[in-house]
Each structure stands twice: as structure tokens, then as C-alpha cells.
Amino acid sequence: MRKIYKNQYKRHDIFSCNHSSHHRFGGAVSTYYILEEKQCYPDGCLNFVWRCQLLNKGHACPKKFRHVGRKCFSCKHFYENKYQQKPRLLVSPDEYRDYLHQLEDFKYWIGLNRGRKIDIDAQIASVKPDLSAAGSPDNPRFRFHGWILVFDHVYVGYDLFEDIAFARISAKTQNRFQFAGGDSFEAVARFNFNQGRLVFSQVHNIEVKTRGDGDLPDSESVLVAAETATSFPVQPEKCMRCDQGVLVENMPSRSNRSAPSRSLVCLMGQENPVECLYHLDLELKADPDQ
């Protein structure tokens, strides 16, 4: 029997968090971040904010530092503030129990399919570059690895995943099939679920069904746009579906042994997704009489 699944890890209507990193976006935070990555509900988490008695008062640092960092730990002017913060539940206890049941059902489905090669049937919403970034956040160096196909929904075997999903393909595969937004196809791919996202890899046995009217992507123009792009600490669904919003793998430096992280990069340079009018501009250009 065919079942319909939603991504229960990317819901933003269950929790809210007052951490400063979420203030720009009204405290929006995904259930994956709270339940899996931070595991901070219901006990909360501790945050330590580094401070400097001199810099806080507008005085110069004897070592010419402009920001408080790890090299400041031994300085007599260094101190830190400790904050305990707890996510706030946005739904009733009964609704939260219902959500947990849905999450368990979704996790079971993931466990059945993870790592398997499976038939998929999808229509492409957009084609985005597969990028990684190295270096400092202020001066990242971008590297192009291929392309990512974005789906608004996808048939996985006999089931319908009615949520955003992705498929990684090589530049060679893209050159061969010339995928663009609106194209639909069937294929065999490996099922992966990573950091709260459904991402297919090793896409083969591709059979194009229909062609859409989307523009073909260009890797050179993407890398040029990436140099002036802005990044967000959250991943709004409208940005994930937008052809200008790209998830970038941030590779740690040799001195930093932390695991790679992902940030959402806007190729248009938009500072806040809430204020973005990109799609409205496209609609007005398509219909100037509006």
C-alpha cells in the first residue's frame, strides 16, 4: 500500500528558541536541530559568551586584537558569561505526542530505505550547484563538485515523499541530460538521509519523461555569484526551493577538527530571507500588467 510521508525533522511549527542566532528569524528552528543535533529539549543548553573588559568599554587591546577569541583565555581582562536557554514548545502536549508518533513512523521509513538503491520518479523544481567552502567565513574559497537536483516531492518506490528532497549528480551527468527546472524523469538512486534531509546519490538508469521550461544552469556564473553571496544560519523552505539558495558544505581548516557544517548561501546577496522579493520580481517581469 502506498503511503505519503512528510519530513518530520524539518518542521518549524513545533519549537521556538530565543538563542541570539535565531533572533533574525523570529526564533525559527527545526525539530531536527532541537531533537537530534542539540538534543536540548526539554532540559535546554548552556551557552558561554566570551567578553573583554577593555573592548567592551571601547578601549584598545594591548595585543591589537579586535575580537575576543581563544588566544584571550590567559588575559586578565578576559571573562565569560554563562546563559542557560530552553526551547519553547509551540504546540499543546497532546499535539506534541501526536508529532512524536509521526516522527517515529517517519524514522522507521527512513530505516527501511537508508542505503538502498531504489526507484524514484520526480519532477525537478530547480538545479543548483554542489559547492563546498574553505577558508574563513569572511573570505571563503568555493569549490564546484557538480549539481544538485531539487524536488518539491518525489515518489520513492511505492511511497510518496511529499516534501523537499535532493539528488546529487556529477557535471558529466548534467552535461549528458541537460536537466533544468520543470523536467521530470525516472531513475534508480541510492537513498540517503543526512542532517535531516533526504538526499539521493548514485543516480543512474535515468529516463527523461518530459521537459520543462527552466533555464540551464551555468557553473561559471554560479562561482562568480558565490563570491558576493550571503549566508544564513537557518534554512527556510522557500530558499531551499529557490534557484538562488544553495546549501554549501563548510570545510574546517586543518587546525580545526570539528565536523563539516552546512550553511544556506543566497547567490543574490539577500541579507534576510523574510525580506526577499526575488520571486515577486520574477512574477512581475513575467506579467508586467500586474
Side-chain angles (χ1 to χ4, degrees):
M1 179 179 176
R2 174 171 287 177
K3 296 188 68 174
I4 299 176
Y5 292 92
K6 292 270 191 178
N7 191 343
Q8 301 299 331
Y9 275 126
K10 287 302 177 182
R11 289 182 58 175
H12 291 78
D13 60 333
I14 303 297
F15 297 108
S16 177
C17 181
N18 62 357
H19 191 281
S20 59
S21 62
H22 308 301
H23 284 176
R24 288 174 60 200
F25 309 98
V29 61
S30 72
T31 49
Y32 177 81
Y33 181 81
I34 295 293
L35 297 177
E36 299 292 339
E37 188 167 329
K38 296 291 290 185
Q39 298 182 1
C40 55
Y41 183 80
D43 297 327
C45 61
L46 289 176
N47 292 284
F48 297 89
V49 180
W50 299 339
R51 302 292 189 187
C52 172
Q53 294 173 336
L54 294 178
L55 294 179
N56 288 356
K57 297 179 181 179
H59 301 306
C61 170
K63 295 184 179 180
K64 309 300 182 183
F65 294 152
R66 296 184 179 180
H67 305 284
V68 183
R70 297 184 182 277
K71 295 181 180 180
C72 304
F73 288 175
S74 60
C75 178
K76 65 179 182 180
H77 301 291
F78 170 84
Y79 69 99
E80 63 182 12
N81 290 332
K82 181 174 70 174
Y83 299 93
Q84 183 174 20
Q85 293 164 307
K86 295 184 178 182
R88 183 167 63 93
L89 192 63
L90 299 177
V91 296
S92 69
D94 288 341
E95 290 173 318
Y96 184 58
R97 280 192 292 269
D98 288 341
Y99 164 73
L100 291 179
H101 289 314
Q102 296 173 39
L103 178 61
E104 284 303 313
D105 189 36
F106 181 59
K107 290 168 69 173
Y108 178 75
W109 181 71
I110 292 172
L112 286 178
N113 293 293
R114 191 190 295 270
R116 290 180 55 204
K117 287 188 176 181
I118 197 165
D119 294 330
I120 63 172
D121 185 343
Q123 183 177 49
I124 300 171
S126 61
V127 182
K128 302 185 182 186
D130 187 2
L131 300 175
S132 64
S136 67
D138 297 330
N139 187 28
R141 300 187 305 276
F142 291 96
R143 183 179 178 186
F144 176 76
H145 301 281
W147 297 95
I148 297 177
L149 308 180
V150 183
F151 314 127
D152 285 330
H153 62 274
V154 56
Y155 288 96
V156 182
Y158 292 105
D159 300 320
L160 171 61
F161 183 70
E162 201 172 39
D163 219 323
I164 189 169
F166 309 88
R168 279 193 165 94
I169 62 172
S170 66
K172 181 179 179 181
T173 299
Q174 172 62 14
N175 289 338
R176 178 182 176 186
F177 290 96
Q178 298 288 289
F179 284 127
D183 296 352
S184 64
F185 70 96
E186 295 178 354
V188 176
R190 189 174 297 280
F191 185 109
N192 304 291
F193 198 80
N194 178 257
Q195 292 184 300
R197 295 286 184 188
L198 176 55
V199 184
F200 297 99
S201 62
Q202 300 177 24
V203 183
H204 59 284
N205 291 4
I206 297 172
E207 181 179 340
V208 178
K209 296 165 58 179
T210 59
R211 289 293 187 182
D213 55 2
D215 296 328
L216 288 175
D218 176 63
S219 59
E220 292 186 6
S221 62
V222 163
L223 289 174
V224 171
E227 297 300 325
T228 58
T230 52
S231 62
F232 306 140
V234 294
Q235 301 170 13
E237 291 302 309
K238 73 170 188 177
C239 298
M240 298 301 297
R241 289 180 166 89
C242 176
D243 58 344
Q244 300 298 315
V246 180
L247 270 182
V248 174
E249 195 92 356
N250 300 307
M251 308 305 296
S253 62
R254 293 182 179 178
S255 59
N256 184 357
R257 297 184 179 182
S258 61
S261 62
R262 293 188 302 185
S263 60
L264 180 68
V265 168
C266 176
L267 299 179
M268 292 288 293
Q270 177 66 48
E271 294 291 338
N272 191 328
V274 176
E275 303 169 355
C276 179
L277 300 177
Y278 173 67
H279 285 286
L280 178 60
D281 289 341
L282 291 181
E283 292 175 5
L284 292 176
K285 289 177 182 177
D287 189 358
D289 295 331
Q290 287 186 358

